[in-house]
Amino acid sequence: MTIRYSKDTICVRSGTIIDAATGGVRSPLFPSTSNSYLDTAEDYYPRHGNLPNQRSLAVKLSHLEQGEDALLVGSGMSAIALSLAAHLKRGDHLVAQHPLYSGALKFITKHLKPLGVAFTLASSPSPADFERAIRPNTKAFYLESPTNPLLSIVDIRALVSLARKHGILTFFDNTLATPINQNPLLLGVDIVIHSATKFLGGHGDLSGGAIIGARHLVERSKGLVHDVGGYLDPNTCHLLERSLLTLSIRIERINANAQRLALFLNDHPNISRVHYPGLPCHPAHHIARSQMVGFGGVVSFELAAAIDPKHFQKRLRLITPANSLGEVVTTLNSPTLASSSYASLSKEQKLGSGINDSLVRMSVGIESFDDLRDDLDAALGNK
Ligand SMILES: *Cc1c(COP(=O)(O)O)cnc(C)c1O
């Protein structure tokens, strides 16, 4: 299915429910959990995902990712867990990219084994290393690009073609790119996953996740969620639908700010390294260019040895040190400091994930570039 309209138009138009009572141009909210059943064939109920706000949001997200159907659940991690659980069974094997988002890594390494599903972490994102990891019972590749927090890039076309050759299903976390910058389904990926808690929600006030793809594939996860629960409730769907109205203009500004900040940091004497796929010095910049329209809002950088990560964050006046990402305001954190996503991993796991104590993950917002640059410059000190 190809959607004719541009993303800007899809953001504001797709899926909108016309209010029959008033002709209102915004989707009304239908929160009712009890619904009349006598003269209707359908059993309307939040856990069945068939309430109007659940459906209208699924339409908008399917259109944005060029998929046939979408399933909205309570968080990005539920989207990851429910999509894998719906497609993998005892005796199957999964090859996962490594490093990848810490929550996904934790789910794969901790929860698949008890379900009887084996896994291999590919030793690099290269197709050759994925190929080496394939076994006769390999059913799925689990992919993410750019990765959180190191912005590593995989060659989507190459991995999809390898997967297809072996009849392997591809799962792809598109959270950091957003559907504005990258559409993995158009490159042959089978199932796209999002944490809507991040850029899709974009205002730091909701939790959600999405599974998007061909109808028959999404249907498997739907069947599971119908029975175990976890559909996003209509109130949150309505809030997320409103957030998506401005997704394309938010991401346009975020892309531009992030690119300029990455260039600024790359030239800064107190920064030893910048991880951003939009920089020509990123090792997979050419691949990123071939599959992304813009490079997204997450810029990670390593502080020079003389700069203490905590002091640097305390000297910021505008940018907020905070644990999550994807908001209209610029936030940043040190993945290894207490309470952030990597703090609970062992030292070996951190090193294996390429994370060190000088690493800072910044999620760029829509403030003015000049204000963000000046804040970073002052907190870093000029030398
Ligand atoms: C945050 C995040 C998730 C998990 O999403 P939640 O909504 O926190 O469950 C998954 N993937 C990536 C890349 C993320 O950044």
Side-chain angles (χ1 to χ4, degrees):
M1 177 186 60
T2 312
I3 303 300
R4 199 160 52 82
Y5 290 118
S6 80
K7 304 255 174 80
D8 299 322
T9 306
I10 292 170
C11 279
V12 290
R13 293 285 185 178
S14 281
T16 306
I17 304 164
I18 303 299
D19 185 342
T22 65
V25 296
R26 287 286 346 110
S27 293
L29 172 59
F30 296 89
S32 185
T33 55
S34 273
N35 296 283
S36 115
Y37 72 99
L38 284 178
D39 296 317
T40 157
E42 196 147 9
D43 189 12
Y44 289 104
Y45 190 62
R47 184 165 45 73
H48 302 166
N50 56 3
L51 295 178
N53 300 101
Q54 296 172 311
R55 285 193 161 155
S56 62
L57 181 58
V59 168
K60 200 190 286 291
L61 271 174
S62 308
H63 287 186
L64 279 170
E65 280 290 14
Q66 304 272 346
E68 285 175 356
D69 200 6
L71 163 60
L72 276 304
V73 291
S75 95
M77 276 316 304
S78 357
I80 292 170
L82 290 162
S83 57
L84 290 177
H87 290 275
L88 295 174
K89 58 178 191 318
R90 184 167 294 279
D92 287 346
H93 173 249
L94 167 120
V95 182
Q97 185 180 329
H98 184 70
L100 82 162
Y101 170 63
S102 61
L105 187 63
K106 214 181 272 178
F107 177 77
I108 288 166
T109 55
K110 195 169 153 188
H111 296 288
L112 286 184
K113 222 187 201 157
L115 300 173
V117 175
F119 66 88
T120 302
L121 303 179
S123 41
S124 87
S126 82
D129 281 324
F130 270 78
E131 186 148 33
R132 261 190 286 282
I134 294 175
R135 298 183 192 167
N137 58 339
T138 302
K139 288 285 150 53
F141 281 177
Y142 184 87
L143 311 170
E144 178 188 341
S145 183
T147 57
N148 178 3
L150 282 174
L151 291 307
S152 122
I153 298 290
V154 297
D155 185 334
I156 303 176
R157 289 181 186 88
L159 287 171
V160 161
S161 119
L162 176 65
R164 290 201 166 162
K165 205 168 85 191
H166 294 269
I168 291 169
L169 214 53
T170 43
F171 294 78
F172 192 100
D173 186 334
N174 203 30
T175 299
L176 257 54
T178 80
I180 303 302
N181 286 324
Q182 178 170 271
N183 287 133
L185 297 175
L186 290 182
L187 304 175
V189 161
D190 294 303
I191 293 165
V192 162
I193 293 159
H194 278 283
S195 169
T197 317
K198 312 293 171 57
F199 293 99
L200 299 184
H203 298 72
D205 55 7
L206 65 83
S207 167
I211 299 169
I212 309 163
R215 196 172 306 284
H216 71 284
L217 295 177
V218 176
E219 205 56 51
R220 307 249 317 225
S221 300
K222 277 189 169 180
L224 183 59
V225 176
H226 182 286
D227 296 344
V228 305
Y231 260 105
L232 201 60
D233 71 284
N235 282 286
T236 311
C237 287
H238 192 249
L239 190 57
L240 180 51
E241 183 178 326
R242 195 179 64 171
S243 298
L244 290 175
L245 298 174
T246 56
L247 181 69
S248 69
I249 57 168
R250 278 190 280 119
I251 297 303
E252 198 176 306
R253 168 67 83 87
I254 284 172
N255 284 341
N257 274 351
Q259 181 73 31
R260 295 177 74 189
L261 287 172
L263 286 166
F264 162 75
L265 290 168
N266 206 35
D267 284 339
H268 201 284
N270 286 342
I271 297 292
S272 61
R273 187 164 173 202
V274 178
H275 303 264
Y276 189 64
L279 289 179
C281 62
H282 185 286
H285 175 64
H286 61 291
I287 299 173
R289 282 180 70 106
S290 77
Q291 58 197 26
M292 302 180 83
V293 177
F295 303 103
V298 179
V299 180
S300 292
F301 50 92
E302 294 174 35
L303 298 166
I307 310 284
D308 177 73
K310 205 161 190 175
H311 287 162
F312 158 68
Q313 293 180 53
K314 295 217 160 172
R315 280 198 296 267
L316 293 164
R317 293 287 163 267
L318 177 66
I319 297 173
T320 316
N323 56 357
S324 192
L325 63 91
E327 306 206 15
V328 286
V329 293
T330 302
T331 59
L332 55 70
N333 71 13
S334 294
T336 59
L337 280 181
S339 89
S340 65
S341 51
Y342 282 83
S344 63
L345 298 185
S346 71
K347 199 169 172 212
E348 292 71 36
Q349 283 171 317
K350 280 179 206 166
L351 288 175
S353 287
I355 309 289
N356 63 49
D357 291 339
S358 67
L359 184 75
V360 175
R361 181 192 68 192
M362 177 167 66
S363 169
V364 178
I366 62 173
E367 302 96 332
S368 115
F369 163 75
D370 290 349
D371 293 339
L372 295 171
R373 177 203 54 206
D374 292 350
D375 195 37
L376 285 169
D377 203 26
L380 285 168
N382 291 321
K383 289 238 173 36

